[in-house]
Amino acid sequence: MKFSIVVNMARFDTSKGMDQVAAEALDLVKIADQGGFDIVWTAEHHTIELTISPNPFQLLSHWGNHTKNVRLGTGVVAAPYWNPIRLAGEAALCDILTGGRLELGLGRGAYQYEFDRMAGGMPQGEGGRYLREIIPAVQRLWEGDYAHEGEIWNFPSVACVPKPLGKAPSMWVAARDQNTFEFALKNNCNVMSTALRKDFAEVEDLETKFRAAKEAAGNPAGLTHATMRVCCVYDDPSVLDTAVSSVVNFGRNFENLFKNAGTVQNGFPEPVDFDTVAARGEYQPENLKENLLFGTPDEIIAKLERYQAIGIDHIMIGPTFGLPHEVAQRTVELFADRVIPHFRAQKAA
């Protein structure tokens, strides 16, 4: 089983300066690099303090200067905000600056709030058209001179400059529906998914979609499905209360953006009412502990063995959801010290 980590810079008010936010994110990246994680991911978002990363390639290049082993991934760039030529070139330059460690993940975009400001008000649901056109265009641009005539972009023959270091970076597509799974695999892309806060049945459904899509694509070799879960690992069980309150508070902000249900003031989303979130079963403390990767190292291992049993071989953990920095830091340390070695030893055996 492979393990990667999603590190997103975020803050909920201005009491913490951005220099501290950036330093704390780098702390987690360094621990992941030294602790045996395979990939560190960061997202692309604009004008939102909940996820601060207007250009993930810039952030990954910075992290690349402070790491040696871990690969560095975009999880994900939003296809509607990019031109294929620019995306191909910026990704290739990041790959060069990080010593050939780039993993390029793409998605259709998440929030209508961003689409209203970054994509001319286009409905967020139309982002899939951009995703389906930009991926093969970038792949061709990395190969050499290429002219494109598409539904969205048109340009005469042009070369991507620079080109990636060595072979082209692996590409990933963020997916939840069957059509997107199939598109990804038919275009030589890996798949990343998230069950959000839903129960294990949702994870099983995502893996079933991956297997069906892989069969439909002719069982291509070397492509994988990574699934992401919010994570807090602790040796003191009282930390569970902190994890639950953090994910609920994060959810109050996320639900605003995800459902376009509130305003954003100076970059900070207006949290939806606590009762709105608390009334949903998936936010109940007992369900959060069961559904998310919350627990002691032994409890996390038991949960992940259940994932492994259904065929999932790549887990993405997300410890940056408003946890106090020392708790997030301890999460990554415990995961590296206690969880990863368990599965590495299993593989060796």
Side-chain angles (χ1 to χ4, degrees):
M1 183 174 281
K2 290 187 175 183
F3 297 99
S4 56
I5 179 173
V6 180
V7 177
N8 289 321
M9 297 192 299
R11 61 180 184 168
F12 296 90
D13 55 51
T14 57
S15 63
K16 182 181 289 188
M18 272 306 307
D19 54 347
Q20 183 179 352
V21 173
E24 290 178 355
L26 182 58
D27 283 344
L28 301 183
V29 171
K30 288 180 177 178
I31 296 168
D33 179 56
Q34 297 164 8
F37 281 85
D38 294 283
I39 308 172
V40 172
W41 305 92
T42 199
E44 174 189 8
H45 282 292
H46 300 269
T47 76
I48 299 168
E49 298 269 0
L50 192 67
T51 312
I52 305 162
S53 184
N55 189 325
F57 298 118
Q58 187 177 29
L59 192 53
L60 295 178
S61 296
H62 169 59
W63 290 347
N65 286 330
H66 295 274
T67 57
K68 295 180 179 180
N69 306 306
V70 73
R71 297 187 65 78
L72 302 155
T74 58
V76 293
V77 296
Y81 307 158
W82 291 81
N83 172 284
I85 299 171
R86 180 184 167 206
L87 178 57
E90 289 206 30
L93 181 58
C94 181
D95 189 56
I96 292 167
L97 295 177
T98 58
R101 287 187 281 157
L102 179 68
E103 302 278 324
L104 181 58
L106 299 99
R108 69 179 190 178
Y111 305 141
Q112 187 60 48
Y113 175 84
E114 281 187 324
F115 273 66
D116 290 344
R117 290 152 181 83
M118 295 294 296
M122 177 181 72
Q124 184 264 347
E126 293 185 15
R129 294 190 299 115
Y130 289 71
L131 179 69
R132 290 189 292 273
E133 188 169 329
I134 203 169
I135 285 177
V138 167
Q139 291 170 334
R140 292 291 303 278
L141 283 163
W142 282 341
E143 293 173 359
D145 284 330
Y146 169 65
H148 183 79
E149 295 185 10
E151 176 189 359
I152 300 163
W153 297 285
N154 289 276
F155 49 83
S157 181
V158 65
C160 170
V161 176
K163 292 189 173 55
L165 187 67
K167 67 177 184 179
S170 296
M171 298 183 77
W172 298 72
V173 173
R176 283 182 55 82
D177 67 89
Q178 189 67 46
N179 289 336
T180 308
F181 273 81
E182 292 183 7
F183 165 80
L185 292 168
K186 288 177 180 178
N187 285 272
N188 198 36
C189 296
N190 302 289
V191 174
M192 58 173 66
S193 70
T194 176
L196 299 173
R197 293 156 303 280
K198 298 183 179 181
D199 62 20
F200 190 72
E202 182 73 8
V203 179
E204 292 177 307
D205 180 63
L206 292 168
E207 177 65 9
T208 297
K209 288 175 180 176
F210 174 74
R211 292 184 176 279
K214 194 171 183 181
E215 184 175 348
N219 291 306
L223 298 180
T224 190
H225 171 211
T227 195
M228 196 277 278
R229 278 297 209 187
V230 169
C231 181
C232 180
V233 191
Y234 45 78
D235 33 25
D236 176 2
S238 68
V239 173
L240 175 61
D241 291 338
T242 301
V244 168
S245 62
S246 295
V247 80
V248 170
N249 185 50
F250 188 92
R252 293 177 63 204
N253 291 268
F254 173 80
E255 294 292 338
N256 171 341
L257 297 167
F258 193 65
K259 296 183 177 178
N260 207 26
T263 61
V264 177
Q265 295 291 332
N266 200 29
F268 295 101
E270 175 190 16
V272 300
D273 291 339
F274 175 79
D275 290 343
T276 300
V277 173
R280 294 173 55 181
E282 64 191 59
Y283 279 103
Q284 293 301 309
E286 61 274 14
N287 292 334
L288 289 170
K289 182 181 180 184
E290 174 66 24
N291 297 340
L292 304 181
L293 293 180
F294 290 173
T296 64
D298 287 342
E299 289 173 331
I300 298 299
I301 288 170
K303 288 183 177 183
L304 293 180
E305 285 178 338
R306 191 178 179 194
Y307 284 67
Q308 189 179 45
I310 65 169
I312 290 177
D313 59 5
H314 191 147
I315 296 291
M316 306 164 65
I317 69 166
T320 51
F321 57 94
L323 283 176
H325 178 59
E326 62 275 12
V327 177
Q329 191 172 33
R330 187 60 178 152
T331 288
V332 185
E333 290 171 346
L334 284 171
F335 203 99
D337 292 344
R338 299 277 299 279
V339 178
I340 292 178
H342 171 84
F343 290 95
R344 294 286 189 264
Q346 189 181 76
K347 179 181 178 181

